[in-house]
Amino acid sequence: MATDSDGRQQSLFQKLKPICVPLLEKSQLTPVNVPTVLRLLSDLENILHHESDLPLSASLASYVFYPISTILRRNVLTQVPDRVLEQVFNVLAILCDSWWWDCELEVWTQLFMLCSSILGGLEGKGKNKTRSDETRQAAAMCLLALTRERDNSKTPSGAAEGLFSTRIASLQSHAQSTKFIPVLGQTIDSLLTTSKSRHRPLQHVSLRLLDVIIRVYAPNGLVASVLPGVISTMSRVALGTQESTGQASGDIVAGALLVMQNAVVISIGDAVCIADGAVRSVVDLEDLVHLNRPPSPTKNTATAPYLITRTPSWLQASASQLHIALNALTPLVYHPTAVALVALANMAKEVLSTTSLTLPQSQPLLLSWLLSLSNSSYPRVAEAAYTSLLHVLTEGPTNVRQALLQTLMHISKECMNSLPISIASQADARIEHIAGHVEAICRLAMSTSDLPKDIGLSSISGTLHYILGPGGGIEKWGWTLLSVLQFKPPPVSINPVSMSQLLLEGNPEAVQGVTFPEVTLKNVLSGSAADSLARMFRALGRASGDHCLYAVEWFVKLGLHSKSDVAVSALWCAVRLLEGVSDIPLTGDGFQNQGVTSHSKHLEKFIRSLTREVAELWTAEPADPSTAPLKVREDNEPLPRTEVVKGVKGIRLTLDIAEPRPPTTPIANDQMLLHRTFCLQLLALGAGILQARFTGLLIHVIYPVLHSIVSPNHHCSLSGMAALAFIANATSYASPGSLLLSHFDYALDGVSRRLNHRWFDVDATKVFAALVRLVGSDIVEKAGDVVEECFDRLDEYHGYEVIVEGLMEVLGEVVKAIETDEPHVPDDVAEDNSQLVRDLQPLHEWIIHRNDTPLDYDDTDYGPAPHEAWGDLKHGEGGQDEPRTADREEDTAEQVLTSAQSLTKQMVSRSIHFLTYGSPVIRARILSLLTSATPVMPESALLPSIHQAWPFILNRLNDQELFVVSAAAELVEALASHVGNFMGRRIWDDIWPRFHAILKKLEAADGQSALARRGYGAVGTESAYTTSHRLYRSIIKTMTAAVDGVYMQDAAGWDVILAFRRFLHCGAHAELQMQARELYTALSKGNEDAVWLALMATSGRLTGDITFLREAQWDINENILLLLDK
């Protein structure tokens, strides 16, 4: 190896010799040879850089250094061009990288001073010349190569053992000598100046140099002397006050903070201050004996005149100034780069670990940094800060750890006490800051289970238990916080489904995707601040565990029994704490990702009682102000004083932040809805905690949840559906419908109890309808109970319109469910073609051959023939009537009905008399019920009821309310489609004259409707959901069914053809056009000539006497072509 190294050294020498010799000859710089010198220096730099992996021997390094030193000696330094000087420093930087191990101290000193003079612009006596940034950067790089630390792995081969320790000790001793300390001071001053340069490479290398010189070479006294300047400059660099963007880059901030960290630790750390007698350390009992004596230095403090002697007064002054400087660095907590944030966390950790005695006032600030950084969105930053917190709280001397723990506990109490002030002042940034601190402290408290008990971190948990426990902590901050926490529903609640959509679409499975809607804080403007408050309460519950159940109970009692606005805020706090205790979030995926969990028996017992208490809110009777007893004033009671106050508003002598409110002020309507919302969240959390054991409480819970679903308030309705979906998932049911079906008796019992005279609830019928809709088609299994309950209540409350309407809605939902579940085969309606004449050819054939003898005529005489069937002759007189009787019984026997059909028949028969009810809504619901029952029931069960109710149905076609007429038309449509033989003549004799009159009235009404289509000859309305559109559709479909099933007389058919022409207009709704084409297709089967004549005349294609049918405002040509194609 030595031979190979010597060979490479010799080869390198041969490469360097052709450069070093000419460079020595050109050492005297002139304008003529400067380019040549630059070229030679560049070649020299390239060769050295290419061979950088080869350590230069001392002789070879001296050989290269000689021409460089000659250039520096033979020329006045101020007259050397910047470019030449830059190249010189580049060569020296590469050279010093290997020469550092055996360079003479005199050469090291001269190079150090040379680089320092270039950096500071001090190149001659009394002459200041500022070099270019590139030149100063090269000088700084050379100085960094000359001073940077090495390790034993870089020791040259063949060197003595311990060379690194010997070399670094020698350089440190020389640098800390009395003669060299001024050079160090001047160099530090120059580097502080260049660290503010806008040239990024120069700024970066200056910070690295400052760190090396302060940490390795400068004596402690010198660092203490330059501490104010270092802290001041590094603060400005870190904050980026001179930057155009307003903040420095991440690596610059990290370099500046590292310099500050080392300067603070070296100059004002506990160890050096104790050694100089500036502060006393109390470790054992003997130190307490001498506590009243002034501290004395433990070593000789005699220093040079320009070095600081640490005294208690100096420490006090420096600590206060340093605290101000550190406080100014607080904005760095929000720096956008992870590098800067990690550096800030490391600085806080080192300063906390080493200055617990000298900087006690800065400990809360530094801990605050670490707490904030532990909540960073950068995982690396959060992990570094959390690790730093654990380091300072679990490692190091006991007195340091205890002091930091006391500070941390004080921070937690101050955060809870100052949070209401920040909320009241709407300081969102401050709210996030405080909530983040509490959350980080809770995270530390939860980590105590993995640490030994003698560490002392259990005191953090003890503090949280005091804050939330019965020791009086909750009363100190709870009332004040509730006075400023005010909620309101959001203006818009976004969710995949709503109750209206459920009623319209009939898809109960959609309820599973509903989540609890968010609420808005009145005094918190940003969503991030509100989220931070919620996370804070969850973290408190998670860290305190069962110990916070006292706080939950305190909030719940206040929320359930208070009549003021704080009730809503109290319930919100209770919900968030319970989320933390159970570790079950109600937002996001919620319980979706939760497995089978176990909780303490104390928590489960508390949840059971809480669930019953919350569910009773839907049972309690509201207080009636009119029945409240009047307060009578006593004789000795003074009259209320009336006082007029002018001028400045007086100061309230109270600790409450919010304005006082009268205790008797009732809760506003929106607050009452929010109160119900948070109660539903408590019920959902109870299900999440108890899981399968919650089914025993469903008898109390189902009705409150369903009652909230039918609330007219969208926010409350969404909360009810979210609670139902959450409870179903927590109790291991596939869907909310499965849960309600399994516990249908509980739900029915809840509705029944709210429909009696003691606890009457008007919304109970709506709850009943929602229950049927949510269960879906499976309700058929329980339909008997539902129908029986409905008719029992109808008999009891038949005179109350609201109740009857609700119960009819329930019956309608049951019939719809039966219609979905019960299979039905539509009746085959045979066309009556006996009177339809399409061709006269058969008549002509018959006239010609009417007298011809049939070809297959048999005129053989077979004798007398029996007048009865052959089979009847074998039986006696008594048995002749038996087959006929059996056939007759078989023909007249009614079809056997299923249970669902029997139930539907019962509902139809008992609901018909409500067709004459005074409320038009109820009349419409009965008609809708009959419409839904028509496809379910067979003719033998349906037609007697329809025949009985037929006069009432006809009267409904003349009803004053258009939606009742529309419902009656839909019923006629269903009857015509399913029992066409029964309805044939009734339609032409009873229905069509009324339909004809209705069409004329609707045509006149559409001309005055704001929803009518605009344009020449426009027909109908724009929307397909208007009552008139539905009525049009029902009339057209009814007449289509009638034309298909019953022979149509020419006069009536001609009226139908003319009445429905306008629906073929291209300006009509697309659905009506399609239905009209189907009608005219059916009409064409009976009398296609009449249809052709009417449509052609309407479009203006025929002339003569038929032109009176021309309607120029209707464009029906496109639909005529479609009809002709068929």
Side-chain angles (χ1 to χ4, degrees):
M1 295 296 295
T3 305
D4 294 342
S5 178
D6 294 341
R8 291 188 62 186
Q9 296 281 347
Q10 186 63 30
S11 175
L12 181 59
F13 172 74
Q14 296 299 329
K15 295 179 181 179
L16 294 174
K17 183 177 180 180
I19 298 175
C20 293
V21 173
L23 190 60
L24 185 61
E25 296 175 355
K26 306 291 184 178
S27 58
Q28 184 66 41
L29 298 178
T30 61
V32 178
N33 64 2
V34 166
T36 305
V37 173
L38 285 174
R39 179 179 56 80
L40 293 172
L41 289 173
S42 179
D43 294 342
L44 181 59
E45 179 185 359
N46 292 334
I47 293 175
L48 291 176
H49 182 72
H50 185 266
E51 300 289 342
S52 59
D53 58 331
L54 176 64
L56 299 179
S57 61
S59 58
L60 188 57
S62 301
Y63 179 77
V64 176
F65 178 70
Y66 182 72
I68 300 298
S69 62
T70 304
I71 293 175
L72 296 175
R73 285 196 307 269
R74 296 185 62 183
N75 299 279
V76 179
L77 194 58
T78 56
Q79 297 178 359
V80 177
D82 288 352
R83 186 70 182 114
V84 174
L85 200 58
E86 180 184 352
Q87 290 288 350
V88 168
F89 282 123
N90 289 339
V91 172
L92 289 176
I94 300 174
L95 188 65
C96 292
D97 200 32
S98 300
W99 205 17
W100 182 85
W101 296 95
D102 45 17
C103 175
E104 297 178 358
L105 286 179
E106 185 64 26
V107 176
W108 187 88
T109 302
Q110 293 299 321
L111 289 176
F112 192 104
M113 296 174 65
L114 174 64
C115 297
S116 177
S117 64
I118 297 299
L119 286 171
L122 303 175
E123 302 176 17
K125 295 182 179 180
K127 296 180 181 180
N128 294 335
K129 180 179 180 180
T130 303
R131 296 283 183 175
S132 65
D133 291 335
E134 290 76 10
T135 304
R136 290 190 293 173
Q137 177 193 350
M141 292 298 298
C142 179
L143 185 57
L144 182 63
L146 198 66
T147 57
R148 71 177 180 86
E149 291 181 290
R150 274 79 170 174
D151 52 27
N152 290 322
S153 62
K154 302 294 184 179
T155 305
S157 58
E161 185 178 358
L163 176 61
F164 169 75
S165 303
T166 304
R167 182 64 177 172
I168 193 65
S170 174
L171 293 178
Q172 287 177 340
S173 176
H174 178 70
Q176 295 176 6
S177 62
T178 306
K179 294 182 178 180
F180 199 79
I181 287 179
V183 177
L184 285 178
Q186 182 61 47
T187 304
I188 292 174
D189 180 68
S190 301
L191 290 173
L192 290 176
T193 303
T194 56
S195 64
K196 296 181 291 184
S197 173
R198 293 182 178 273
H199 188 63
R200 289 292 174 267
L202 175 59
Q203 186 181 25
H204 192 267
V205 72
S206 299
L207 293 174
R208 292 179 60 189
L209 263 175
L210 274 172
D211 173 56
V212 171
I213 292 176
I214 290 176
R215 180 167 45 86
V216 179
Y217 296 97
N220 293 343
L222 179 62
V223 176
S225 300
V226 301
L227 179 65
V230 171
I231 296 300
S232 176
T233 303
M234 292 299 103
S235 297
R236 290 196 295 271
V237 171
L239 293 173
T241 56
Q242 298 178 346
E243 301 292 336
S244 58
T245 59
Q247 61 183 7
S249 60
D251 54 346
I252 297 300
V253 174
L257 292 178
L258 184 60
V259 173
M260 292 181 66
Q261 167 189 324
N262 293 326
V264 170
V265 171
I266 293 173
S267 60
I268 204 170
D270 290 344
V272 292
C273 289
I274 291 174
D276 289 354
V279 69
R280 182 189 300 276
S281 175
V282 179
V283 179
D284 50 22
L285 294 176
E286 186 177 354
D287 295 331
L288 291 175
V289 175
H290 307 288
L291 190 60
N292 58 346
R293 299 180 183 177
S296 57
T298 59
K299 64 178 183 179
N300 186 13
T301 58
T303 58
Y306 36 78
L307 299 182
I308 287 292
T309 301
R310 297 175 179 83
T311 61
S313 59
W314 172 87
L315 177 60
Q316 183 179 2
S318 300
S320 61
Q321 294 298 316
L322 184 58
H323 179 70
I324 296 173
L326 292 175
N327 193 29
L329 296 177
T330 302
L332 292 178
V333 174
Y334 307 102
H335 199 277
T337 62
V339 176
L341 298 179
V342 171
L344 186 64
N346 292 333
M347 173 186 172
K349 180 187 72 172
E350 292 300 325
V351 175
L352 279 172
S353 302
T354 56
T355 61
S356 60
L357 298 177
T358 55
L359 296 176
Q361 68 272 36
S362 299
Q363 287 185 351
L365 176 64
L366 298 174
L367 282 175
S368 172
W369 289 357
L370 291 177
L371 292 173
S372 298
L373 293 175
S374 65
N375 295 317
S376 174
S377 58
Y378 297 107
R380 184 164 67 112
V381 176
E383 181 65 24
Y386 182 71
T387 305
S388 299
L389 280 170
L390 287 180
H391 174 80
V392 298
L393 294 175
T394 59
E395 300 179 10
T398 304
N399 57 340
V400 175
R401 287 191 282 108
Q402 292 300 324
L404 293 177
L405 285 172
Q406 291 295 329
T407 303
L408 197 64
M409 291 184 286
H410 178 73
I411 290 175
S412 62
K413 295 178 182 178
E414 286 297 319
C415 286
M416 299 306 297
N417 292 331
S418 61
L419 183 60
I421 301 175
S422 302
I423 296 176
S425 59
Q426 297 184 351
D428 289 358
R430 181 65 180 168
I431 293 172
E432 293 186 45
H433 178 75
I434 294 174
H437 281 187
V438 177
E439 185 179 358
I441 293 173
C442 294
R443 196 179 302 115
L444 285 173
M446 287 185 290
S447 66
T448 57
S449 58
D450 301 331
L451 299 173
K453 294 184 177 180
D454 57 353
I455 294 296
L457 276 184
S458 58
S459 57
I460 302 178
S461 301
T463 303
L464 297 179
H465 298 166
Y466 169 77
I467 292 176
L468 300 171
I474 183 69
E475 286 82 0
K476 290 183 179 179
W477 58 270
W479 285 106
T480 311
L481 180 63
L482 294 179
S483 66
V484 297
L485 276 179
Q486 300 178 11
F487 293 88
K488 62 180 180 180
V492 178
S493 296
I494 300 176
N495 248 299
V497 70
S498 64
M499 186 60 197
S500 302
Q501 183 180 356
L502 174 66
L503 294 177
L504 284 174
E505 298 180 358
N507 182 20
E509 300 299 329
V511 181
Q512 292 180 268
V514 181
T515 58
F516 283 99
E518 297 181 353
V519 294
T520 305
L521 277 166
K522 293 182 179 180
N523 293 330
V524 179
L525 304 180
S526 66
S528 59
D531 293 341
S532 65
L533 283 176
R535 290 196 306 271
M536 181 195 76
F537 275 99
R538 293 190 191 101
L540 284 171
R542 193 179 301 112
S544 186
D546 289 353
H547 294 277
C548 81
L549 291 183
Y550 175 83
V552 175
E553 184 178 5
W554 189 83
F555 282 124
V556 168
K557 286 185 177 180
L558 189 61
L560 297 183
H561 303 120
S562 175
K563 300 301 181 182
S564 60
D565 291 343
V566 300
V568 177
S569 305
L571 286 182
W572 182 86
C573 295
V575 171
R576 302 287 85 82
L577 285 174
L578 265 183
E579 282 184 316
V581 175
S582 60
D583 200 17
I584 301 175
L586 292 177
T587 57
D589 292 337
F591 200 78
Q592 300 293 331
N593 299 327
Q594 296 287 334
V596 178
T597 57
S598 59
H599 302 279
S600 64
K601 293 183 178 180
H602 180 48
L603 175 60
E604 293 184 359
K605 182 179 179 181
F606 173 78
I607 284 298
R608 287 191 179 92
S609 62
L610 175 62
T611 301
R612 294 189 182 95
E613 187 175 5
V614 172
E616 287 177 359
L617 290 179
W618 279 264
T619 306
E621 300 179 1
D624 188 0
S626 61
T627 60
L630 297 177
K631 182 179 179 181
V632 180
R633 188 177 63 87
E634 302 292 340
D635 295 337
N636 57 354
E637 182 180 355
L639 292 172
R641 184 180 62 176
T642 302
E643 181 180 2
V644 179
V645 179
K646 296 183 178 179
V648 181
K649 184 178 180 180
I651 299 176
R652 294 181 291 108
L653 300 178
T654 176
L655 296 177
D656 291 338
I657 297 175
E659 291 288 340
R661 299 181 180 87
T664 58
T665 303
I667 303 179
N669 187 34
D670 59 340
Q671 295 297 309
M672 180 62 69
L673 293 173
L674 288 176
H675 189 272
R676 290 296 172 91
T677 297
F678 294 138
C679 288
L680 290 171
Q681 294 185 10
L682 285 174
L683 296 178
L685 279 175
I689 293 173
L690 296 177
Q691 296 184 4
R693 297 180 296 277
F694 189 75
T695 54
L697 299 172
L698 288 176
I699 191 172
H700 308 286
V701 172
I702 287 182
Y703 184 83
V705 174
L706 294 177
H707 186 275
S708 302
I709 290 178
V710 300
S711 172
N713 181 266
H714 182 60
H715 190 273
C716 188
S717 178
L718 285 178
S719 300
M721 286 190 283
L724 181 61
F726 196 96
I727 292 172
N729 192 23
T731 51
S732 302
Y733 282 94
S735 65
S738 301
L739 169 69
L740 295 175
L741 182 62
S742 299
H743 301 85
F744 192 82
D745 295 340
Y746 289 172
L748 189 60
D749 176 72
V751 174
S752 300
R753 286 190 288 115
R754 269 74 176 187
L755 285 176
N756 57 28
H757 293 283
R758 180 183 178 187
W759 288 333
F760 183 78
D761 186 359
V762 178
D763 294 331
T765 55
K766 298 180 182 179
V767 173
F768 209 171
L771 172 63
V772 175
R773 177 58 63 93
L774 287 168
V775 174
S777 60
D778 295 331
I779 194 64
V780 177
E781 303 175 11
K782 307 288 184 179
D785 298 336
V786 176
V787 173
E788 182 181 357
E789 180 68 26
C790 287
F791 283 111
D792 288 345
R793 300 308 172 189
L794 282 173
D795 294 339
E796 189 174 359
Y797 298 107
H798 62 272
Y800 297 92
E801 179 180 327
V802 177
I803 303 175
V804 174
E805 178 185 345
L807 293 174
M808 286 302 169
E809 182 182 2
V810 176
L811 292 176
E813 295 294 337
V814 173
V815 174
K816 291 178 183 178
I818 294 176
E819 180 182 3
T820 304
D821 184 73
E822 187 76 12
H824 174 74
V825 179
D827 297 332
D828 295 331
V829 181
E831 294 188 16
D832 185 6
N833 297 327
S834 61
Q835 303 183 48
L836 296 181
V837 179
R838 294 186 175 87
D839 192 359
L840 297 179
Q841 184 63 31
L843 177 62
H844 295 163
E845 293 288 339
W846 178 80
I847 293 174
I848 296 172
H849 302 286
R850 68 183 185 278
N851 296 322
D852 296 347
T853 302
L855 297 178
D856 55 351
Y857 178 74
D858 187 6
D859 56 355
T860 305
D861 185 10
Y862 294 99
H867 296 283
E868 295 180 1
W870 289 99
D872 295 340
L873 299 177
K874 299 179 181 179
H875 301 282
E877 293 294 325
Q880 290 181 357
D881 295 337
E882 291 180 2
R884 298 183 181 181
T885 305
D887 295 339
R888 194 159 45 246
E889 291 177 356
E890 182 178 355
D891 293 338
T892 59
E894 294 186 0
Q895 181 181 354
V896 179
L897 302 180
T898 64
S899 59
Q901 290 174 340
S902 300
L903 194 62
T904 307
K905 179 181 178 181
Q906 178 188 359
M907 285 188 285
V908 170
S909 61
R910 297 184 65 175
S911 303
I912 287 177
H913 65 277
F914 285 99
L915 283 172
T916 59
Y917 202 85
S919 171
V921 177
I922 295 176
R923 296 198 297 270
R925 290 197 181 278
I926 296 300
L927 291 170
S928 300
L929 186 148
L930 295 175
T931 303
S932 300
T934 298
V936 176
M937 299 173 60
E939 292 185 12
S940 59
L942 174 66
L943 296 184
S945 298
I946 296 299
H947 177 74
Q948 179 186 356
W950 188 247
F952 308 128
I953 296 174
L954 293 179
N955 289 336
R956 298 288 72 79
L957 289 175
N958 298 326
D959 203 283
Q960 298 296 324
E961 297 293 339
L962 192 58
F963 66 89
V964 179
V965 178
S966 177
E970 291 177 359
L971 172 59
V972 174
E973 173 196 339
L975 291 172
S977 301
H978 295 87
V979 288
N981 292 331
F982 172 79
M983 291 295 296
R985 300 314 312 168
R986 293 175 185 264
I987 288 178
W988 294 113
D989 296 340
D990 300 332
I991 300 298
W992 168 239
R994 290 174 170 81
F995 275 1
H996 203 184
I998 290 172
L999 288 174
K1000 294 180 179 179
K1001 292 180 181 179
L1002 287 177
E1003 184 177 5
D1006 285 346
Q1008 301 176 357
S1009 175
L1011 299 176
R1013 287 174 173 264
R1014 304 304 177 193
Y1016 183 65
V1019 179
T1021 57
E1022 292 285 352
S1023 174
Y1025 299 99
T1026 59
T1027 305
S1028 63
H1029 179 91
R1030 294 198 299 268
L1031 186 53
Y1032 281 139
R1033 182 180 58 199
S1034 297
I1035 291 175
I1036 297 174
K1037 294 178 70 175
T1038 301
M1039 298 312 300
T1040 303
V1043 170
D1044 278 336
V1046 181
Y1047 170 72
M1048 177 180 59
Q1049 297 179 358
D1050 291 340
W1054 183 253
D1055 290 339
V1056 172
I1057 292 172
L1058 296 182
F1060 292 94
R1061 291 176 297 163
R1062 57 196 179 102
F1063 297 108
L1064 294 175
H1065 176 41
C1066 63
H1069 196 279
E1071 183 182 9
L1072 297 182
Q1073 293 185 53
M1074 180 186 68
Q1075 299 292 342
R1077 287 195 300 270
E1078 294 180 0
L1079 172 61
Y1080 279 97
T1081 301
L1083 288 169
S1084 299
K1085 297 178 181 179
N1087 196 343
E1088 59 185 355
D1089 294 333
V1091 173
W1092 179 88
L1093 179 65
L1095 296 184
M1096 287 300 180
T1098 303
S1099 63
R1101 299 184 183 185
L1102 299 179
T1103 58
D1105 296 338
I1106 204 69
T1107 54
F1108 71 93
L1109 294 177
R1110 167 68 172 156
E1111 296 289 349
Q1113 72 272 21
W1114 295 339
D1115 182 9
I1116 64 174
N1117 293 320
E1118 183 178 349
N1119 284 309
I1120 289 177
L1121 294 176
L1122 293 175
L1123 288 171
L1124 293 178
D1125 290 341
K1126 292 184 179 180

